[in-house]
Amino acid sequence: MRASLKRRIIEICDRKISQKGAGVGLSFYAFFANRNDDPELLMEAAEWWIRTHRLDHFEKAAKIRSMVADMPE
C-alpha cells in the first residue's frame, strides 16, 4: 500500500473515532470523495480491503487503523 493511502486511512480513522467514538464503523469508500477522481487509488484500497483481508463492507475504524498502522513501510 502506498504511503499516501496509508496516511489518508489513518487520518480519516482518527477523525471518525474522535467524532463518533471507538465503535464507529466505516467502509473503504470513506477514504475517498464522492466522485472517483483517482480510480487506481480506489482500486488499491478495494484490493487491500476485499481481496487481501476479506473484510466486511463495514468494519470498526479502530480495527482498520490498527491494521494499517502495523503494516511495514
Side-chain angles (χ1 to χ4, degrees):
M1 177 183 294
R2 62 182 96 169
S4 62
L5 179 56
K6 186 176 175 178
R7 282 191 306 273
R8 179 186 273 182
I9 290 172
I10 291 171
E11 175 186 311
I12 290 172
C13 286
D14 285 346
R15 185 174 348 127
K16 294 286 187 182
I17 292 166
S18 72
Q19 289 172 343
K20 299 188 178 207
V24 67
L26 49 77
S27 77
F28 70 89
Y29 291 114
F31 310 122
F32 300 93
N34 286 337
R35 67 184 194 288
N36 188 4
D37 58 353
D38 192 342
E40 288 84 20
L41 194 62
L42 177 68
M43 292 308 295
E44 184 176 333
E47 177 84 20
W48 181 87
W49 192 283
I50 298 166
R51 285 197 178 153
T52 303
H53 296 285
R54 301 197 183 283
L55 299 170
D56 290 338
H57 183 74
F58 284 96
E59 292 286 350
K60 301 290 184 199
K63 174 183 176 179
I64 299 303
R65 189 200 187 290
S66 176
M67 289 173 72
V68 172
D70 290 344
M71 290 174 60
E73 292 294 320

